[in-house]
Amino acid sequence: MTMNTNNESNGSKRRIRIFDTTLRDGEQAPGASIKPEQKIVIARQLARLGVDVIEPGFAISSPGEFQAIQQISRELQGVEISGFARCVKADIDAAVAATRDAARRRLHLFISSSQIHLDFQLRKTQDEVIRVLREMVAYGKQFVDEIEFSPMDASRASEEFLFRVIESAIDEGASIINVPDTMGYALPEEFGPMFTRIRQNVRGGDTVAYSTHCHNDLGLAVANSLAAIRHGVTQVEVCVNGIGERAGNCSLEELVMAIQTRGDSIGVETGINPGEIYETSRLVSRTMHFPIAYNKPIVGRNAFQHESGIHQDGLLKNRNTYEIMDPEAMGIPRSMIVLGKHSGRHAIKHRIAEYGFRLEDGELEDLYARFKAKADEQKIITDDVLLQLVGESTDSAAEPYALVDLQVLAGSQRSRIASVTVRRAEDGTEGTFAASGEGPLEAVIHCIRQAVPVEAEFEDLELHSLSTGEGAFGEAVVTVQYGGQRYQGTAIHQDIILAAARAYVSACNSVVLSGRANPAKEAAV
Ligand code: KIV
Ligand code: ZN
């Protein structure tokens, strides 16, 4: 095996179509449901990401859902839209009507195919299932040319019945057969070859396109999808961040990056624009209030972070030593190095250079000693703490703005009021500002906005508990947007409001230190 470090294609590859079902199957994840008007925002981003098909929802489920599908079908004329329906006339009518104005559309019909579903859920015999699916595929075919048919729970069905079901759907005019691993039960070595057997044994099996839809109950959704691709599948159904029922669906970003990184070995490619992956992931996570695990491949916060000194040293010499993908190519802000007690001088020097600081040898030694002492106290050294340490080592103020004091009044019976004191490094002056807000954090942010004249948009706050018990430390990560760029600040404290305030000031400091903002000018407007 050789490593393709630049992800270049070296021959003609089979194109895999990416069918995104974040807004349908993804929304079925407990707690992930969103308002119809938010669906259009996510759908627009999916179109920018370059997915081939969007399944925007289940039209029969509510009037709001119907309207969202209708609006997405009308607006996103460059993407194919999938109308999802059970093998039931009312479902089909709703899906057909909601997707009527799409430039390209398909009707996606499904019915269960495993004996356990037939006995206990549908309470139908195999012959009855065949009759219903034949009638409904034929019914849908009157309205829509392209029918995708899914035999639900296919991986737990008897192969004999599965073949009958697929053969009947093809006979009635289905042109795409989507074989789902509904319960995430399949193993790659079983699942892949099943597609070859279907194509060879089902009458008409070589006249249709194949798709797969894998759930992640055993953590095998991506592996099973890749196995299906190896056996001729040309479409894969996925969800952003792998969200979906139970353990979720095949993750869009994991599948796409596996194909992009190892495409030469697999011999396939997708039309996805990797530069939009991070933005899409953040939007889905924020909108659906669905946090991403730290160690989630590709989009998890630790996915490109390295704390070990040996790894950091290797990375700084050549990033291919410990990275198989370029995070920046996916729009992921490059902060690959987490500073902690394992970090060496090289990594610290590199991080402060990103803020424009170059220290003399003596100053660097002093900073290193302070850094190690601090790292023993708190696990991670955030950038704001590092800049404070730089200030102590150089006897100057390294942070353009420093939060000197914070007071907050909060509670159920009173309005939330805050005051902050901020020191400006430029002239050493301190100013105190007061404000109120609906919550204590809003009050604090209103104060800081007066003190730090950087017109950055407060985009996101993540709060994490770093330990257990009542004395737990909280970590706040604030993301701001300025001039189309994102900046992050991180801070740790037992008082989470103080941590959030420091993280916000730190993010604003990053904007100022990047040289993009001119606080004096912004203060004047
Ligand atoms: O998991 C599943 O089987 C599905 C289908 C109905 C495609 O979501
Ligand atoms: Zn599913």
Side-chain angles (χ1 to χ4, degrees), residues 400-401 424 426 452-454 482 512 516-525:
Y401 295 92
R424 237 162 59 120
E426 203 180 7
V452 180
V454 174
Y482 185 87
V512 177
R516 291 174 74 98
N518 183 342
K521 215 162 138 198
E522 292 183 29
V525 280

Side-chain angles (χ1 to χ4, degrees), residues 273-426:
N273 168 12
E276 294 292 336
I277 284 181
Y278 186 65
E279 177 65 38
T280 314
S281 161
R282 302 288 306 177
L283 178 69
V284 168
S285 166
R286 258 197 328 267
T287 317
M288 294 187 150
H289 304 290
F290 218 84
I292 301 169
Y294 283 174
N295 63 341
K296 164 103 176 54
I298 319 294
V299 291
R301 143 177 176 192
N302 289 359
F304 294 97
Q305 297 206 327
H306 308 263
E307 201 195 322
S308 134
I310 297 168
H311 288 210
Q312 292 182 351
D313 188 54
L315 271 167
L316 292 171
K317 289 173 177 150
N318 179 336
R319 71 176 181 82
N320 289 329
T321 50
Y322 289 98
E323 273 184 2
I324 58 164
M325 294 167 271
D326 177 6
E328 281 173 3
M330 289 171 264
I332 298 170
R334 176 170 282 279
S335 58
M336 58 189 186
I337 283 176
V338 179
L339 296 177
K341 70 173 178 191
H342 302 115
S343 303
R345 289 177 184 74
H346 194 180
I348 297 168
K349 203 170 153 186
H350 182 267
R351 175 58 58 83
I352 61 170
E354 287 178 352
Y355 284 102
F357 295 105
R358 266 172 237 301
L359 304 192
E360 302 297 325
D361 283 352
E363 289 171 332
L364 188 64
E365 276 316 303
D366 185 75
L367 173 64
Y368 188 62
R370 288 177 195 273
F371 176 92
K372 285 283 168 178
K374 196 78 184 171
D376 269 341
E377 247 172 62
Q378 66 183 60
K379 241 175 99 53
I380 297 169
I381 300 294
T382 54
D383 284 6
D384 68 321
V385 171
L386 181 67
L387 292 181
Q388 278 165 26
L389 299 179
V390 170
E392 287 166 21
S393 297
T394 56
D395 220 5
S396 64
E399 301 163 286
Y401 295 92
L403 189 62
V404 177
D405 187 39
L406 169 84
Q407 302 289 333
V408 191
L409 266 178
S412 57
Q413 302 298 324
R414 52 166 63 105
S415 56
R416 286 82 188 163
I417 310 165
S419 81
V420 303
T421 302
V422 170
R423 184 182 311 116
R424 237 162 59 120
E426 203 180 7

Side-chain angles (χ1 to χ4, degrees), residues 67-297:
Q67 278 158 19
I69 298 170
Q70 197 170 46
Q71 196 190 343
I72 290 167
S73 302
R74 286 181 179 155
E75 189 181 314
L76 299 177
Q77 297 276 302
V79 189
E80 185 171 346
I81 305 295
S82 165
F84 184 68
R86 289 170 296 188
C87 281
V88 171
K89 267 192 183 164
D91 279 31
I92 297 175
D93 292 342
V96 168
T99 57
R100 178 159 294 126
D101 297 327
R104 267 177 312 131
R105 65 165 166 170
R106 70 177 58 170
L107 180 61
H108 181 187
L109 296 180
F110 73 98
I111 197 163
S112 285
S113 58
S114 66
Q115 199 54 44
I116 187 154
H117 280 204
L118 265 59
D119 289 345
F120 294 98
Q121 197 187 7
L122 291 182
R123 295 183 192 280
K124 286 193 188 331
T125 63
Q126 293 190 346
D127 287 346
E128 281 168 336
V129 166
I130 298 287
R131 185 181 49 76
V132 170
L133 85 85
R134 276 190 175 275
E135 274 175 25
M136 290 304 108
V137 174
Y139 179 70
K141 190 76 185 172
Q142 300 173 79
F143 311 111
V144 182
D145 290 338
E146 191 95 275
I147 306 276
E148 170 172 329
F149 176 80
S150 296
M152 188 154 83
D153 206 15
S155 51
R156 295 195 303 160
S158 83
E159 216 160 82
E160 194 194 349
F161 183 57
L162 182 64
F163 290 176
R164 252 187 95 195
V165 166
I166 294 175
E167 197 166 290
S168 308
I170 296 174
D171 195 37
E172 296 297 339
S175 45
I176 302 162
I177 299 297
N178 175 51
V179 183
D181 179 25
T182 304
M183 297 312 303
Y185 175 75
L187 297 175
E189 63 271 26
E190 296 166 359
F191 195 60
M194 185 178 65
F195 286 87
T196 301
R197 287 197 299 278
I198 293 172
R199 205 177 310 101
Q200 288 170 352
N201 292 298
V202 164
R203 206 166 348 111
D206 54 356
T207 62
V208 293
Y210 287 92
S211 164
T212 194
H213 172 116
C214 298
H215 280 264
N216 206 27
D217 299 66
L218 294 173
L220 292 171
V222 174
N224 281 326
S225 302
L226 290 172
I229 287 174
R230 288 198 189 275
H231 285 265
V233 154
T234 51
Q235 172 184 285
V236 180
E237 302 196 354
V238 293
C239 289
V240 175
N241 300 334
I243 65 169
E245 289 275 5
R246 309 180 311 279
N249 283 68
C250 175
S251 144
L252 180 149
E253 57 283 352
E254 291 176 27
L255 181 88
V256 165
M257 289 316 295
I259 289 176
Q260 162 109 356
T261 309
R262 303 303 313 278
D264 286 339
S265 156
I266 311 170
V268 296
E269 62 190 4
T270 72
I272 293 294
N273 168 12
E276 294 292 336
I277 284 181
Y278 186 65
E279 177 65 38
T280 314
S281 161
R282 302 288 306 177
L283 178 69
V284 168
S285 166
R286 258 197 328 267
T287 317
M288 294 187 150
H289 304 290
F290 218 84
I292 301 169
Y294 283 174
N295 63 341
K296 164 103 176 54

